[in-house]
Amino acid sequence: MKQNPLILPIVGGGIALIFFFLPWLKIDMSSLGHESITISGFTFAIGSINFLTLAFFASAAIIGISIYMMKQDTPWKAKNLVLICSCIAVLCILLTFVRVVQGINLSSRLAEPSRIMGGSDMKLDKIISIQFGIFGAVIGSI
């Protein structure tokens, strides 16, 4: 039985696309009397043109290139394109992850003076938590 080297990129790209639709962030508002909110990567991607939109299309391109080149006689030619798309997807997801973490830290530091004046002991880094979707998207892209 002949093995096809493009099965792994198809599976990885599929995993990355599935994890785009799973929760990435959870905002727990139960201390304020509201429900918790989960935000998926796809919600981030369609919210505005940003790094995640590029990562989503790069993950879809991995699958498309792999399926197209699987029908060709030389599937090894897709190696460079798949690697480039994979690197783009991973870098864009990681840049978004860093921006979210920095945003949480920045908003936490900006809210400190108002907490001191208002008497609230609520911390934003305790309210916002990162979920498994972002890690699955990175692993699938790799």
Side-chain angles (χ1 to χ4, degrees):
M1 184 170 165
K2 184 179 173 184
Q3 272 188 332
N4 196 329
L6 294 175
I7 296 296
L8 187 62
I10 291 173
V11 171
I15 289 171
L17 283 180
I18 288 171
F19 275 95
F20 263 98
F21 295 102
L22 295 176
W24 282 33
L25 284 179
K26 182 179 180 183
I27 303 171
D28 186 19
M29 302 295 282
S30 61
S31 62
L32 299 174
H34 299 290
E35 297 178 5
S36 62
I37 302 168
T38 57
I39 302 171
S40 68
F42 188 72
T43 306
F44 278 127
I46 63 169
S48 63
I49 302 298
N50 55 20
F51 288 124
L52 278 186
T53 308
L54 185 60
F56 182 77
F57 286 127
S59 297
I62 290 171
I63 295 173
I65 291 168
S66 298
I67 290 174
Y68 175 74
M69 291 305 274
M70 203 184 321
K71 296 177 182 177
Q72 304 298 322
D73 292 334
T74 56
W76 53 269
K77 287 185 178 181
K79 180 181 174 184
N80 290 336
L81 288 174
V82 168
L83 284 174
I84 289 169
C85 289
S86 177
C87 289
I88 288 171
V90 169
L91 287 175
C92 289
I93 292 169
L94 290 178
L95 281 173
T96 302
F97 177 74
V98 168
R99 287 178 59 195
V100 166
V101 170
Q102 284 179 346
I104 291 170
N105 291 337
L106 179 63
S107 59
S108 180
R109 280 186 272 145
L110 290 176
E112 281 181 23
S114 65
R115 271 191 258 133
I116 293 169
M117 298 172 108
S120 174
D121 59 350
M122 184 175 57
K123 293 186 178 183
L124 290 177
D125 56 347
K126 302 256 191 274
I127 293 174
I128 300 173
S129 63
I130 297 170
Q131 299 293 305
F132 61 92
I134 193 166
F135 302 112
V138 169
I139 291 171
S141 295
I142 290 174

